[in-house]
Structures are given as C-alpha cells and as structure tokens.
Amino acid sequence: MLVEIKASVSFLKSKISAAPEVGIILGTGLGGLVQEIEIKHTIAYKEIPNFPVSTVEGHSGKLIFGVLGGKNVVAMQGRFHFYEGYTMQQVTFPVRVMKMLGVKMLVVSNASGGVNEDFEIGDLMIINDHINFFPAHPLIGKNISEFGPRFPDMSEAYDTDLINKAKQIAKNNNIKVQEGVYLGLSGPTFETPAEYRMIKILGADAVGMSTVPEVIVARHCGIPCFAMSIITDLGVQGKIVKVTHEEVQQVAAHSEKKMTLIIKELMGEV
Ligand code: HPA
C-alpha cells in the first residue's frame, strides 16, 4: 500500500504549486465550503493513480487545492464510505496521501443523527470524541511504521486546542454550537428506534456513517483533527420520523454556512 500511496503523492506533487498544510474532508451536502477556497488546482479522483472513485449521490469526487483563510489547503469534495463497498484501507487512503503531501491538520465534516435530547435538527456539533462502531478497523493488518506505531494513542482524537478555538469563533459570531461524542457505524441503513436508544446508552450524542476511520488514520500518523457534524435528523424517542438521504442533504445545505464560517476563521488561527 505504501507504494500505491507514494505513486498518488508523486502524481499530485507534479500537479500542484504549494504543499497543503491543512486537509479537509467534506461530508454529505457539505461541499459548499469549496466556494470559499481560492482554488489553484482541481484534480478529479479518477485522474489520480490508485485513488478510489466516489459513487454516492451528493459527492462529486475531486481534490481541490487552494487557499482558505490564508492557509494552503487540500479539500476532498466527496469522500469514500465503508457502505459503498470500499475497504477501510481505501476509505482512509486519501488521509495518508494528505500526510505525505505535508498536511499538519485535518478538518472533517459530516451529517449525523442526533441522539442527545437537547439537540435540534440543523444544530452544529463539534465532535469532541468518538466511538468506533464500524465492523472493521482501518489499522488492522501489517502496521506501516512510516506512518505511526502499532498501537496508536487515542486519548485526544479531536484536538482540544482546535475545539476551544472553534467554540470561541462560534461565540464571537453568535453561532449556536453543540459539542459531543460521535458514534460511527457502517450504515447504509439509518437506525431503528432501538438502535438509536442503544447509541445514546453507549454514550454518544450523534451517529453517522463516516469520519471515524479517517480520524483514526490521521491520528495514527500524528495529524491533529477537528471535526464538525450537522444534526440532520433526531434519533430521540418521540421525535423519530422517517429519514431520507434527500432530507439529510437539505438540512446539511441549510446549516452549512455557519459551519463554513467557523472552519474558515479557524484556518486563520492555526
Ligand atoms: N444515522 C446515521 N447516519 C446519519 C444519520 C442518522 O440518523 N443522519 C445523517 N447521517
């Protein structure tokens, strides 16, 4: 796999003019942050050697290199989900490519279902920790010691300093933010009422089908992570209604501006 990653990296290095400092992975319906990037290069996943290609609706499949809030960034417009049939190594492949391109911080967004009773649809949640409930783990197999240790520490999966900065930015801009634990599972089904109940009992505030694998691999190679969720539906007893992918995209698009502002300002402070 290291050989494959290196091939992607040397291809990308031949195309770009500046090494990215920050990697950004945008979730369902959350591609709008790209409009804030002063774009230098757009490279379709299908052009990049060994890069997986995204299939899900609402994800367009490009790497965008440019400047955001004064930082050189690389943004993934469209991510790879485990439920699409990719292996965990494929899901997290771009994170390792980012590492080898020079990325020193990872920002991740996603849409999720809230299980915390205090949450409302459209809320933003800063992820302060996660529970890995995926049936597979991206670091199973031979450890690639060029990236990190066999048994990586996860005591601060989400960087406390970045969380505090983001909370301050939200406060200064009068943006309501929640904070909590994200439980990641495979999907593609949304949860049953009993599952939402279980997720809450397990100690999570929100549930979704992404982010955890990418953050694990980023932490393995020492990249500090910041992640935000848009609560697109509620898995709270009495408030559970049918969820559709279209609704998830609509709510995400609606709350996206607030999240974009926080991420853009955060770039100016790191
Ligand atoms: N469950 C899992 N994933 C999700 C949800 C949900 O309720 N909402 C958006 N992504």
Side-chain angles (χ1 to χ4, degrees), residues 153-171:
D153 171 68
M154 288 295 282
S155 62
E156 195 181 333
Y158 301 84
D159 190 87
T160 307
D161 184 44
L162 295 173
I163 291 172
N164 289 337
K165 284 190 166 110
K167 277 159 69 175
Q168 193 57 47
I169 292 166
K171 201 170 165 200

Side-chain angles (χ1 to χ4, degrees), residues 111-113 190-191 196 207-209 232-233 248:
S112 68
F190 291 115
E191 289 66 38
Y196 281 127
V207 53
M209 308 171 194
T232 56
D233 53 276
V248 166

Side-chain angles (χ1 to χ4, degrees), residues 10 21 27 42 50 88 120 123 130 141 195 204 215 232 234 250 253:
S10 41
E21 303 151 86
T42 300
N50 308 320
M88 278 298 185
E120 290 170 37
D123 275 355
H130 74 218
E195 286 165 347
V215 167
T232 56
L234 293 173
Q250 270 167 24

Side-chain angles (χ1 to χ4, degrees), residues 210-222:
S210 67
T211 304
V212 169
E214 293 100 319
V215 167
I216 288 173
V217 167
R219 294 305 301 133
H220 178 237
C221 61

Side-chain angles (χ1 to χ4, degrees), residues 14 61-62 70 101 120 125 139 151 161 168 223 243 259:
S14 76
K62 303 174 207 127
L101 286 172
E120 290 170 37
M125 183 184 95
L139 299 178
F151 301 107
D161 184 44
Q168 193 57 47
I223 303 175
V243 197
M259 188 164 79

Side-chain angles (χ1 to χ4, degrees), residues 81-181:
H81 296 89
F82 188 64
Y83 62 72
E84 291 175 85
Y86 297 110
T87 63
M88 278 298 185
Q89 282 70 28
Q90 289 175 306
V91 168
T92 57
F93 187 90
V95 177
R96 288 176 156 163
V97 168
M98 286 177 180
K99 169 73 181 177
M100 294 193 95
L101 286 172
V103 161
K104 290 178 181 61
M105 169 184 165
L106 182 68
V107 175
V108 187
S109 70
N110 63 50
S112 68
V115 296
N116 183 318
E117 282 162 13
D118 298 333
F119 288 5
E120 290 170 37
I121 288 177
D123 275 355
L124 299 182
M125 183 184 95
I126 294 175
I127 300 177
N128 61 18
D129 206 347
H130 74 218
I131 296 172
N132 180 17
F133 226 62
F134 279 90
H137 193 291
L139 299 178
I140 284 177
K142 191 174 179 304
N143 183 52
I144 307 178
S145 55
E146 281 86 345
F147 286 110
R150 170 74 293 183
F151 301 107
D153 171 68
M154 288 295 282
S155 62
E156 195 181 333
Y158 301 84
D159 190 87
T160 307
D161 184 44
L162 295 173
I163 291 172
N164 289 337
K165 284 190 166 110
K167 277 159 69 175
Q168 193 57 47
I169 292 166
K171 201 170 165 200
N172 295 347
N173 289 282
N174 265 321
I175 297 170
K176 174 188 170 198
V177 282
Q178 308 280 9
E179 192 181 333
V181 174

